[in-house]
Amino acid sequence: MNLILSELGKKSQYKSEYDRDLLFPIPRAVKREELGIVGKPLFQGTDIWTAFEISWLNSRGKPEVRIGVFEIDALSEFLIESKSFKLYLNSFNSTRFTSDDEVATIMQRDLSKAVMGDVRVQLYQLKEYPTIISNQFDAESIDGLDIEITEYIANPRFLKADHSIQVHEILSSDLLKSNCLVTFQPDWGSVLIDYTGGKIDQEGLLKYLISFRDHNEFHEQCVERIHSDIMQYCQPDKLCVYARYTRRGGLDINPIRANYAYDPKHKKIRLARQ
């Protein structure tokens, strides 16, 4: 994974003319191999990106502005480095297009080629953007637990479950924080854990999530690590991990990973910090 070639952490010249080559794909396999995932993962999911700085010129030179929602299949071979995505979207700013459909088609083609997988693109006029603002996930928050912790590098050994007690729980935390793999800038997120199986020790789970505080990985990789660690150490029958991260550079990233078909009602929720 040669991130030296990416624009992360560098001063960048913004291009205002459309340029598909600005997209910088990163292979998912490298980090998955660290987790012992070889071949097709035992999960499915989506990386949901929301883009708030999309604009182009119509055929008469008048600017159009949109909010974009991009859903990238987690089984695609590559993820997109976030700064390259921002630079790519900004390259539309001074280019003329005839319609929303033309722009969406171009974006879907470019992103699908870059990630080598399925991508869904939706562009919304501001008055049409569907969203529900919520302070927190509609779940049981574990943040109020009175714990003591001194470890801030992801440690899955905090995780354990009591298989004599079978439950279905939806838990959440707003204390997820990690760092960018390249720039080490902080990434702030809220995470939802929807599982069926042996009852997960909530104090251990909260310590585990907090232990990401000085951990360096991209958003998608952190969520896959959380999913893989909970599966290994708690062995639930069903598990979905869904994180919503705060915005940076006009983009937020919201990965979902589940070991079954999962289409959460939370997909259209925007949390207060977003």
Side-chain angles (χ1 to χ4, degrees):
M1 182 168 54
N2 188 2
L3 293 175
I4 295 175
L5 300 177
S6 81
E7 291 296 320
L8 267 179
K10 302 176 184 177
K11 291 185 177 180
S12 302
Q13 182 69 38
Y14 280 83
K15 295 184 178 180
S16 57
E17 293 289 339
Y18 163 65
D19 185 354
R20 73 184 72 179
D21 294 329
L22 291 169
L23 291 169
F24 188 84
I26 297 172
R28 297 184 189 269
V30 176
K31 279 292 180 177
R32 287 177 177 174
E33 287 173 3
E34 288 185 17
L35 299 174
I37 300 171
V38 179
K40 186 177 180 180
L42 297 177
F43 53 71
Q44 54 189 293
T46 310
D47 300 328
I48 305 172
W49 296 67
T50 317
F52 295 91
E53 299 176 4
I54 296 179
S55 183
W56 65 88
L57 303 179
N58 67 16
S59 58
R60 301 185 66 186
K62 179 183 176 182
E64 301 282 352
V65 294
R66 298 291 183 271
I67 294 174
V69 177
F70 304 84
E71 297 187 25
I72 300 175
D73 190 342
L75 299 183
S76 61
E77 291 190 33
F78 296 84
L79 58 86
I80 295 296
E81 183 268 299
S82 60
K83 185 172 182 181
S84 79
F85 201 172
K86 174 182 173 63
L87 294 172
Y88 166 77
L89 293 175
N90 272 275
S91 78
F92 284 76
N93 289 348
S94 296
T95 307
R96 296 192 181 205
F97 299 97
T98 59
S99 66
D100 288 36
D101 287 344
E102 181 186 10
V103 175
T105 297
I106 290 170
M107 290 179 174
Q108 193 276 335
R109 178 199 66 200
D110 294 345
L111 288 164
S112 297
K113 183 178 179 180
V115 303
M116 295 187 66
D118 293 333
V119 177
R120 184 183 181 198
V121 178
Q122 294 175 288
L123 299 178
Y124 295 98
Q125 294 193 35
L126 304 191
K127 64 182 179 181
E128 297 174 348
Y129 176 57
T131 189
I132 301 170
I133 303 296
S134 178
N135 289 338
Q136 295 176 302
F137 278 122
D138 182 15
E140 178 185 350
S141 174
I142 59 176
D143 292 347
L145 296 172
D146 186 15
I147 63 168
E148 182 175 350
I149 184 168
T150 58
E151 293 189 48
Y152 302 108
I153 298 295
N155 185 354
R157 299 196 179 278
F158 287 122
L159 295 168
K160 59 183 178 180
D162 183 350
H163 290 276
S164 68
I165 306 174
Q166 294 291 305
V167 298
H168 171 230
E169 290 187 317
I170 306 177
L171 308 175
S172 69
S173 174
D174 298 308
L175 303 185
L176 180 62
K177 180 259 180 191
S178 55
N179 301 316
C180 173
L181 183 61
V182 177
T183 66
F184 307 114
Q185 294 181 22
D187 294 320
W188 305 93
S190 298
V191 61
L192 178 142
I193 296 167
D194 187 339
Y195 78 96
T196 301
K199 185 173 178 62
I200 294 176
D201 178 74
Q202 293 187 6
E203 289 191 4
L205 176 60
L206 183 58
K207 289 180 180 180
Y208 168 69
L209 294 174
I210 291 173
S211 75
F212 275 79
R213 197 164 183 85
D214 291 334
H215 182 76
N216 303 319
E217 275 187 324
F218 295 132
H219 304 64
E220 302 94 329
Q221 296 163 347
C222 286
V223 170
E224 291 186 3
R225 184 174 296 275
I226 293 169
H227 188 279
S228 296
D229 285 347
I230 293 175
M231 287 299 300
Q232 179 179 350
Y233 285 84
C234 301
Q235 300 181 341
D237 297 318
K238 291 184 176 181
L239 174 65
C240 175
V241 177
Y242 177 30
R244 295 198 67 93
Y245 283 89
T246 59
R247 194 184 314 180
R248 185 191 293 172
L251 290 166
D252 63 41
I253 309 172
N254 310 283
I256 302 173
R257 299 293 184 270
N259 66 344
Y260 63 103
Y262 188 90
D263 188 22
K265 64 180 180 180
H266 316 273
K267 281 176 67 173
K268 291 184 180 179
I269 287 177
R270 296 201 60 75
L271 298 181
R273 290 192 298 169
Q274 294 187 295

